[in-house]
Amino acid sequence: SVDHPAAGRGPWPEDDDTPQYDHKVCCSYPLVHCLPFLSKWSYSYMSCILAKGAEIHKASKQKHNKRRRRRSSLAAFLSEENGDGNGDGNGDGSSHHAEGSNEDQAENGNTSTAAHQLPQQPLQLTQDDLYRAPSLMRVSVLRPKFNTCYIATHGKLIPTLWQLASPSFIPAGFCQLITVVAQVAVPMFVWQLLRILEAHPSANVFKEAIPYVFLILVADIA
């Protein structure tokens, strides 16, 4: 049997044990050791997938706006023709509608012909754009762990699920807590900054205001 390579971008980046940086570089720049930690907590390796998603959204929005402008121009033309007269306006409007339909069909035909001549990448996320599942989430790992925890808790389901989920959900909850605190703190810092500016409209409030400016910046980054 031939082993075919698995589809996708490769293994989950956090499971990849391949050294990302040269040993000489790590010795010269000790802060390089912090980059894997920052990548893990910021999910920077997902930027390629997010970039393609943004590209798909942009193309879809441009296509939608193009159709909307075409319909708006056709509606404006028909309303002007109907305002000039019922007889002539209806005839001209029908002919223009037919011409618009012919133009749409011609454009679709040209697009189809171009698609056959020059194959384009489909505007959708495929399996090749995704990483493989993390090793900790594979059935071959979770099933033995679930059986062990289930026996250890004497057949209690909730404690078993908690033991399986807590290693990942507790850090995720901590990160979400930081996000919520930052979102709540930003309006309060802005309100305090405005109070300082209103209390001293013509005075130099750099020393009093600069701490809140930095706090707003940190909260926005968080």
Side-chain angles (χ1 to χ4, degrees), residues 103-150:
E103 292 178 357
D104 293 340
Q105 293 176 359
E107 183 178 357
N108 293 331
N110 294 333
T111 304
S112 302
T113 304
H116 287 295
Q117 294 176 355
L118 298 175
Q120 298 179 355
Q121 187 177 5
L123 292 178
Q124 60 182 358
L125 289 174
T126 62
Q127 188 176 0
D128 295 334
D129 298 316
L130 306 178
Y131 295 104
R132 292 199 289 270
S135 59
L136 296 176
M137 296 184 181
R138 295 175 182 172
V139 178
S140 59
V141 177
L142 289 177
R143 183 177 296 174
K145 187 181 295 186
F146 177 85
N147 295 333
T148 303
C149 296
Y150 192 75

Side-chain angles (χ1 to χ4, degrees), residues 9 43-56 125:
R9 294 183 179 272
Y43 296 99
S44 60
Y45 46 81
M46 299 296 292
S47 59
C48 53
I49 301 176
L50 297 176
K52 184 172 181 180
E55 182 181 357
I56 295 172
L125 289 174

Side-chain angles (χ1 to χ4, degrees), residues 1 7 13 18 21 28 34 49 51 71 89 112 134 141 145 151 165 168 185 197 203 206 211 216 221:
S1 61
T18 305
Y21 306 99
S28 302
C34 300
I49 301 176
R71 292 174 182 175
S112 302
V141 177
K145 187 181 295 186
I151 295 173
S168 58
L197 295 177
F206 180 80
I216 293 173
I221 295 175

Side-chain angles (χ1 to χ4, degrees), residues 52-65:
K52 184 172 181 180
E55 182 181 357
I56 295 172
H57 176 72
K58 182 179 179 180
S60 178
K61 188 175 181 180
Q62 290 177 350
K63 187 176 180 180
H64 176 73
N65 292 336

Side-chain angles (χ1 to χ4, degrees), residues 178-196:
I178 295 176
T179 303
V180 172
V181 171
Q183 291 176 349
V184 174
V186 168
M188 298 179 64
F189 294 151
V190 173
W191 171 68
Q192 188 65 27
L193 181 61
L194 293 176
R195 285 189 60 186
I196 295 175

